[in-house]
Amino acid sequence: MVCSLGYHLNTVVESILLNKTQFSKVPFKTEWFKDRQVALVSDANPRDIVDNSKSLRYMSREAQLAVSALILCMKDAGLYDSIPYDQNETALFSGTGSSGIQLDSISKFLSHAYHPETGQFDLERFGNQALYKINPLTSFQILPNMPPALSAIIADIKGANLVFNPWEGNALLAVYEALWEIHSNRAKLVFCGGSDCKTHSNAFITFYEYGLLTQSDVVMSEGSAFLAIEAPETGRYKDKDIYCVIRYMYHESYVDSRGYSHFHSPDVYDEMIRTTIMKSCLQPMDIDLVISSCDFTHLHDQEEERILKKYFSCPMISPKKNIGNTYAAAGIINMAVGAEILKNKHKVQGKEISRILITSFAPGSEKFCIILEKP
Amino acid sequence: MRRVVITGVGVITPNGNSFDCFSDSLQKGLSGLDEVPAFKKAGFPCYIGGQVKHLQDTTLQKKFPTMSAVNDRKVCLGLQAFLEVSKYLPDNYNPCAIHLGTSLETFLLEKVFRMSPYEFNMDTYINNIQEHGENPYIEAPLDFLGNLISTALSLKGPNYLNCSACAASTQAIGHSFHMIRDGRYNMMICGGFDSMLNPLGIGGFSRLGALNMENDLKQKAICPFDIRRQGTILGEGAAIFILEEHEHALRHNRQIFAEISGYASTFDAFKLSEPDRGGKGIYAAMKQALSDAHLSNDTIDYINAHGTGTPTNDKVETIAIKNLFGQKAYSIPVSATKSMIGHLIGASGAVEIAAILAMFRDHFIAPTINLDKPDPECDLDYVPLTARMTTVNTVLKNSMGFGGQNASIVLKRYDPNPV
């Protein structure tokens, strides 16, 4: 995992549990958003992680983060340059964010794309001048399949693949589909993850237009996490230490025709939590920790907290409060945080944790409730 | 094992605005490519494209009012294809999932300068947004079309959006096939939609050197497997399908266009901008798709190639086909639909699967037009120039994505009582 609090999972989780943050001012010139904060990955330099750092020049910031997170995941799982595994039977399912053209990176080209008198877009000037200012590498950087495609090249993964886009829930589909891929014996090992970079100017404009920046205190962020998922009976980890078991993953879809910024009826989330507990054959008291999908929208957070408190009296954390909202990567990062808490026995409010419920009710149509537990 | 059949198709392409028109054009070997006057006038290095004609924007706006939130050509194309396929929807279609494929967001350059004239200024832009009220998004999220369809049908199922470049829609359809075969759904809506005929689309691909800049060649500018091929030509379009579990389709007395029997996806894990020279990635995808379909190599009687008309791609795909099928490769017809419609990027796989359905229904093999001088290194039977009136029963379709993502899917003529 790579996020604004670093790339050592153990220390990141410790920081989250100590409620640390590392936010800074927006990294571009703006009066409109000058009071907003961002969570930049500043202590985790992809060049320290990726062996072939020359290849980084082809990559967008998001792709750099994804490649870094995947390599860290593979190293952690003992699968990077050490233990041979069947590349053809290894799948890579991931979620990426809306790529966005970073306006700063195309400012030179924009300067040659408007009519000198009207200031409006001028196709002829674009064709004759601006076009030749486009860096060919930009094409590699804006395609939203590039984070996993580059990850596969660097990590030499050759099996099945899908790239979901662009929300938190779409990236969690990567995990959901990984479980089906393993269940159906189409893959033995699946790396699944998500990546996003929402700290640049175009992300702010886009999310402002979606209505996601107007009424909330969201800290736009960047990061990536990958998980290695295997079936216990077929996986290499039969006799080894594992992070956690995915006991249950409940998936529902709610498309809201009013747009992305509308909060669904609290009943929807109430029903999802109730069903998750019931279908996993557990009681609310069996849950030791809740990792919530808090998205800094006042209404959403209050309602989610109210519903969660109706069912659970255990501690609740929201990593987004510490590392900002990494959007497409946020759900996967929450899963990685949960997995680390279970594996390395981090105590939360002095208590050891055996079972965690993770919610993902963020913008986008795909919603999840996940239960992780100690093996 | 559950069987999966296709029970609805809607398609819009540069050479046909409906499934029937598309089939007719394919049989006649009609090209949908032409000069794009605006790009020619603006002096673009490549101004040949596969543009969809007579798109009914106003009709679409009436049927889908919320599409005003986007000014995105590919969403309009997707909705047009959806309108055609929706004729095949049964009365009761829930629960039904959506899985669509496309490439990337369309960035509205016109809007950038409308809201911030001259040198771009973010604050001016936001202030003008505030002042002018409702406007289309500067770039709509990729799941927007799925949301519109889901809302229109009140679907109770997920909205998947796969964005693996040129392999996106083949993967979306293949994965939908697996979702039904695994017992997760009885019905799915899947396909692909895309348009690269915008300044940044054409501009970006030109700068990458992927397009043939010889505009004087006009419709002949894309010539897959020909010795003169120098690059691809971009196009636009969409194809959307209804997939159903076989017994479910029979129970509801549905028209069956074809059966999907196998699918696989792979990574080249080679280089970003070019496929593995030995074609190992697409070879593995074809091999695994056949295995997934429980079919041997000798059952395939036609291959619909990715066939982009770029020097490397066509050669690599040919090598992979020869490596998989051996001597039999020379007797399997292989053709490139892109020779008639251009490269539809995220929609290419879906539209080419619609072409296969047309070939099943109307008993022909679509040609590779513009193949006048075959490349000696591309020495298979590419069905040059004219369609072949014959019946194909088992077809393999390839897609190879920018970044090294490959997909192969196996389609069969529908047989109610297979051996």
Side-chain angles (χ1 to χ4, degrees):
Chain A
M1 179 170 100
V2 179
C3 70
S4 61
L5 288 173
Y7 58 90
H8 295 295
L9 193 51
N10 196 310
T11 51
V12 168
V13 168
E14 275 177 14
S15 298
I16 289 171
L17 295 176
L18 291 169
N19 205 21
K20 287 184 181 169
T21 60
Q22 192 166 321
F23 299 154
S24 54
K25 290 192 168 183
V26 291
F28 48 85
K29 213 173 140 188
T30 171
E31 275 298 305
W32 192 274
F33 296 113
K34 70 176 181 192
D35 297 329
R36 287 201 176 260
Q37 292 182 303
V38 291
L40 294 166
V41 177
S42 49
D43 292 341
N45 186 346
R47 287 179 198 281
D48 299 337
I49 301 164
V50 179
D51 296 336
N52 177 13
S53 61
K54 268 189 181 173
S55 60
L56 290 169
R57 73 192 183 97
Y58 292 106
M59 302 183 195
S60 64
R61 177 77 175 157
E62 180 184 341
Q64 290 182 0
L65 298 169
V67 169
S68 303
L70 178 63
I71 289 173
L72 287 169
C73 172
M74 293 178 84
K75 284 180 177 170
D76 190 48
L79 291 166
Y80 190 72
D81 281 348
S82 51
I83 299 172
Y85 64 98
D86 189 340
Q87 299 151 308
N88 297 310
E89 291 193 357
T90 301
L92 177 62
F93 289 174
S94 62
T96 60
S98 49
S99 60
I101 294 172
Q102 301 198 18
L103 289 165
D104 310 333
S105 70
I106 60 167
S107 56
K108 218 190 276 182
F109 129 81
L110 285 177
S111 292
H112 292 82
Y114 63 81
H115 192 282
E117 286 169 19
T118 63
Q120 296 300 301
F121 178 65
D122 181 343
L123 189 63
E124 283 189 38
R125 194 151 180 254
F126 177 94
N128 289 310
Q129 294 185 30
L131 185 64
Y132 300 97
K133 306 285 178 194
I134 298 178
N135 183 343
L137 292 182
T138 306
S139 300
F140 292 110
Q141 291 169 353
I142 61 175
L143 280 166
N145 70 321
M146 282 298 127
L150 283 156
S151 301
I153 291 169
I154 302 249
D156 210 16
I157 293 169
K158 295 184 174 169
N161 53 85
L162 285 166
V163 192
F164 299 116
N165 186 277
W167 304 105
E168 176 176 324
N170 295 78
L172 281 174
L173 285 175
V175 180
Y176 194 67
E177 292 307 319
L179 299 180
W180 275 103
E181 205 70 3
I182 288 166
H183 176 75
S184 310
N185 288 321
R186 287 191 290 269
K188 288 183 178 166
L189 166 67
V190 185
F191 289 104
C192 48
S195 55
D196 210 343
C197 173
K198 288 284 177 277
T199 53
H200 56 84
S201 54
N202 192 38
F204 275 70
I205 291 176
T206 310
F207 275 54
Y208 179 83
E209 290 190 338
Y210 296 165
L212 293 169
L213 275 179
T214 47
Q215 298 170 344
S216 62
D217 299 322
V218 62
V219 176
M220 300 285 266
S221 182
E222 57 187 11
S224 177
F226 274 85
L227 310 171
I229 296 185
E230 295 180 71
E233 62 271 21
T234 57
R236 294 174 311 103
Y237 285 100
K238 197 169 179 180
D239 303 316
K240 286 192 169 189
D241 200 6
I242 68 172
Y243 270 81
C244 64
V245 172
I246 300 174
R247 177 164 179 141
Y248 194 72
M249 191 164 186
Y250 184 60
H251 172 211
E252 276 286 1
S253 302
Y254 296 95
V255 174
D256 196 322
S257 59
R258 295 169 299 174
Y260 294 100
S261 59
H262 287 272
F263 176 66
H264 294 293
S265 159
D267 297 342
V268 166
Y269 305 137
D270 194 318
E271 179 62 18
M272 278 189 72
I273 293 167
R274 196 188 63 78
T275 309
T276 303
I277 295 293
M278 188 186 73
K279 289 201 173 180
S280 56
C281 304
L282 294 169
Q283 298 295 321
M285 67 185 72
D286 298 323
I287 301 295
D288 301 321
L289 174 70
V290 172
I291 300 180
S292 89
S293 65
C294 149
D295 71 350
F296 298 84
T297 316
H298 299 307
L299 179 61
H300 182 165
D301 291 357
Q302 283 168 13
E303 288 294 349
E304 183 173 342
E305 194 175 335
R306 184 182 63 77
I307 297 159
L308 288 169
K309 281 187 173 164
K310 180 178 144 187
Y311 288 96
F312 308 107
S313 53
C314 64
M316 261 181 245
I317 60 169
S318 297
K320 284 178 194 164
K321 287 178 179 163
N322 307 95
I323 59 169
N325 195 338
T326 51
Y327 288 96
I332 296 276
I333 285 179
N334 283 357
M335 283 190 78
V337 167
E340 165 64 23
I341 287 171
L342 291 169
K343 186 191 178 194
N344 287 323
K345 301 184 173 69
H346 293 267
K347 288 187 175 173
V348 182
Q349 294 177 12
K351 194 181 158 196
E352 201 168 297
I353 305 297
S354 298
R355 200 172 284 117
I356 299 173
L357 179 123
I358 299 168
T359 61
S360 175
F361 301 148
S365 56
E366 310 311 307
K367 316 290 182 188
F368 286 90
C369 277
I370 305 149
I371 293 179
L372 303 181
E373 64 185 12
K374 262 184 170 176
Chain B
M1 189 178 282
R2 282 157 60 98
R3 295 172 68 192
V4 181
V5 290
I6 300 176
T7 57
V9 54
V11 63
I12 183 160
T13 79
N15 68 353
N17 282 20
S18 67
F19 183 55
D20 288 342
C21 293
F22 184 42
S23 180
D24 192 48
S25 295
L26 294 174
Q27 288 176 64
K28 292 175 180 161
L30 292 181
S31 173
L33 308 187
D34 210 341
E35 291 180 349
V36 181
F39 293 150
K40 184 180 182 183
K41 189 167 174 247
F44 276 58
C46 173
Y47 53 78
I48 307 294
Q51 201 167 23
V52 167
K53 290 96 187 167
H54 315 300
L55 185 61
Q56 316 246 321
D57 279 359
T58 326
T59 317
L60 291 173
Q61 288 272 7
K62 278 184 194 158
K63 285 184 186 289
F64 304 98
T66 48
M67 72 175 271
S68 61
V70 303
N71 182 9
D72 193 334
R73 176 92 174 163
K74 66 178 179 293
V75 173
C76 299
L77 294 164
L79 287 174
Q80 192 70 51
F82 168 67
L83 285 184
E84 186 181 9
V85 79
S86 60
K87 292 185 296 195
Y88 298 98
L89 276 171
D91 293 336
N92 187 6
Y93 39 75
N94 269 316
C96 175
I98 296 177
H99 195 162
L100 300 173
T102 193
S103 58
L104 77 163
E105 298 90 346
T106 306
F107 187 73
L108 298 183
L109 275 171
E110 293 87 349
K111 188 185 174 187
V112 169
F113 292 104
R114 202 166 58 242
M115 294 295 121
S116 172
Y118 303 100
E119 293 296 315
F120 180 76
N121 182 289
M122 188 179 185
D123 296 320
T124 310
Y125 183 95
I126 299 284
N127 281 326
N128 279 327
I129 293 281
Q130 283 260 309
E131 203 174 301
H132 292 86
E134 289 290 314
N135 257 299
Y137 300 145
I138 191 170
E139 55 179 28
L142 293 181
D143 65 344
F144 201 88
L145 175 64
N147 284 347
L148 286 175
I149 294 173
S150 190
T151 306
L153 299 176
S154 301
L155 290 185
K156 293 180 174 61
N159 174 20
Y160 286 54
L161 188 288
N162 182 55
C163 59
S164 49
C166 321
S169 53
T170 304
Q171 287 196 339
I173 295 161
H175 187 248
S176 300
F177 153 69
H178 277 164
M179 286 171 82
I180 294 176
R181 195 177 69 179
D182 291 349
R184 298 164 63 183
Y185 290 91
N186 284 326
M187 182 182 286
M188 287 198 62
I189 292 171
C190 58
F193 61 108
D194 216 343
S195 176
M196 281 291 154
L197 299 185
N198 56 64
L200 282 172
I202 292 268
F205 273 90
S206 303
R207 295 289 288 144
L208 280 174
L211 304 182
N212 188 353
M213 314 284 189
E214 288 195 54
N215 294 298
D216 293 343
L217 290 171
K218 297 191 175 170
Q219 296 186 338
K220 283 185 170 279
I222 180 167
C223 48
F225 307 110
D226 192 286
I227 189 80
R228 300 160 306 141
R229 70 187 187 280
Q230 289 187 33
T232 198
I233 292 292
L234 295 174
E236 60 180 7
I240 298 187
F241 306 91
I242 299 167
L243 264 53
E244 274 184 78
E245 191 275 324
H246 179 235
E247 294 297 323
H248 185 271
L250 290 182
R251 270 199 308 278
H252 295 87
N253 201 23
R254 316 269 287 125
Q255 178 182 350
I256 296 176
F257 289 83
E259 178 173 359
I260 301 180
S261 57
Y263 160 72
S265 62
T266 61
F267 272 118
D268 276 354
F270 180 64
K271 280 185 180 171
L272 195 55
S273 57
E274 57 180 284
D276 178 297
R277 293 295 170 116
K280 287 179 195 158
I282 191 63
Y283 167 89
M286 289 191 285
K287 190 175 179 192
Q288 289 169 31
L290 284 169
S291 166
D292 192 48
H294 302 288
L295 291 174
S296 61
N297 293 4
D298 55 8
T299 54
I300 296 298
D301 47 23
Y302 167 63
I303 297 171
N304 187 277
H306 186 57
T308 56
T310 53
T312 307
N313 177 89
D314 295 355
K315 201 157 65 181
V316 162
E317 192 171 8
T318 300
I319 290 169
I321 292 170
K322 287 201 263 193
N323 284 345
L324 182 63
F325 291 95
Q327 203 57 33
K328 185 182 156 47
Y330 294 92
S331 61
I332 303 173
V334 179
S335 69
T337 315
K338 290 182 181 74
S339 62
M340 288 172 274
I341 58 174
H343 195 340
L344 310 191
I345 311 293
S348 61
V351 168
E352 289 157 16
I353 286 169
I356 293 167
L357 301 193
M359 294 182 227
F360 279 144
R361 189 191 69 175
D362 297 334
H363 300 274
F364 71 100
I365 297 176
T368 304
I369 65 167
N370 305 331
L371 179 48
D372 300 316
K373 293 181 184 168
D375 180 347
E377 291 189 83
C378 298
D379 54 353
L380 300 176
D381 171 12
Y382 300 107
V383 196
L385 306 175
T386 53
R388 207 168 283 169
M389 301 314 290
T390 184
T391 297
V392 291
N393 293 308
T394 311
V395 173
L396 190 61
K397 158 91 210 115
N398 290 336
S399 290
M400 299 157 76
F402 196 65
Q405 288 172 271
N406 308 291
S408 289
I409 192 163
V410 181
L411 292 105
K412 293 196 322 199
R413 174 178 295 284
Y414 174 61
D415 178 354
N417 302 300
V419 179

